[in-house]
Amino acid sequence: MRTERGSFVADHVVLACSLATVRRMTITPSMPVPLHAAVHGLGYGTITKTSVQWPHRQWPPGYATTAGRAQRVYEPTMDQPGESGILMAYCGGDGGHQWATMPEPERIALAAAEMTAMHGLALQPLGGYSRAWGAEPRFGGSYAVYEPGQVTAFWQPLREAWGRVHLAGEHVATCTGYMEGALESGETVATRIVAAG
Ligand SMILES: Cc1cc2nc3c(=O)[nH]c(=O)nc-3n(C[C@H](O)[C@H](O)[C@H](O)COP(=O)(O)OP(=O)(O)OC[C@H]3O[C@@H](n4cnc5c(N)ncnc54)[C@H](O)[C@@H]3O)c2cc1C
């Protein structure tokens, strides 16, 4: 196995990363057709999260939704002391995809404008931070989203060892898209490797 940091000889290889990364690997011999189709075809979510910090909390407690592009807005600092607070826009689907194409400052300005309109804020934001997983080369999306037809076509090939190469991560868990699934997949692969001796 050759990486940017050197060459390694190993009994097994565990690819515990998003399929977006696996798609860029040069793998010889070629993967079996069903596995190749699954690795390259599996859907990924488009969540973009944009947080904006405000000097005062001029909004009611709770979760808010809007027909605007911010989609879902909540306060992750709800339980924290202090005068300032943060509102978070959690944006997915086509909206998340669209926000991922924008530069970060533009996303923050857009989210701040929508939060201002939603809650009637008479404040200037202190700052913000936005992350679009769909635009991150190491992630390629927020988490696996099996699209129609992909459970029957891709589920099994992604969960079987290919010789001594194993996939791990939330995308091959029993319950995909969650931390628990990522850990479960690691245990599954470790058990498989130990059993192989
Ligand atoms: C917006 C959002 C909200 C979420 N909310 C929740 C939640 O509330 N509860 C929950 O349980 N889960 C949630 N998740 C999902 C959870 O974050 C994932 O299921 C979990 O992180 C997946 O773990 P993983 O180990 O499969 O992959 P990752 O956490 O993606 O780990 C893979 C690692 O591989 C590294 N990597 C990739 N390419 C390379 C390379 N070429 N070389 C070296 N390293 C590489 C990456 O940097 C990364 O550290 C959320 C995810 C997102 C995006």
Side-chain angles (χ1 to χ4, degrees), residues 16 21 47 49 133 138-139 142-143 169-170 177-180 182:
T21 300
I47 302 296
K49 283 173 93 170
W133 279 267
R138 281 194 167 201
F139 298 91
S142 41
Y143 35 74
E170 58 83 18
Y178 291 93
M179 300 292 296
E180 289 87 342

Side-chain angles (χ1 to χ4, degrees), residues 37-64:
V39 164
H40 288 267
L42 186 67
Y44 269 87
T46 64
I47 302 296
T48 299
K49 283 173 93 170
T50 304
S51 57
V52 182
Q53 187 177 22
W54 303 90
H56 309 288
R57 308 184 195 201
Q58 284 185 351
W59 49 81
Y63 188 91

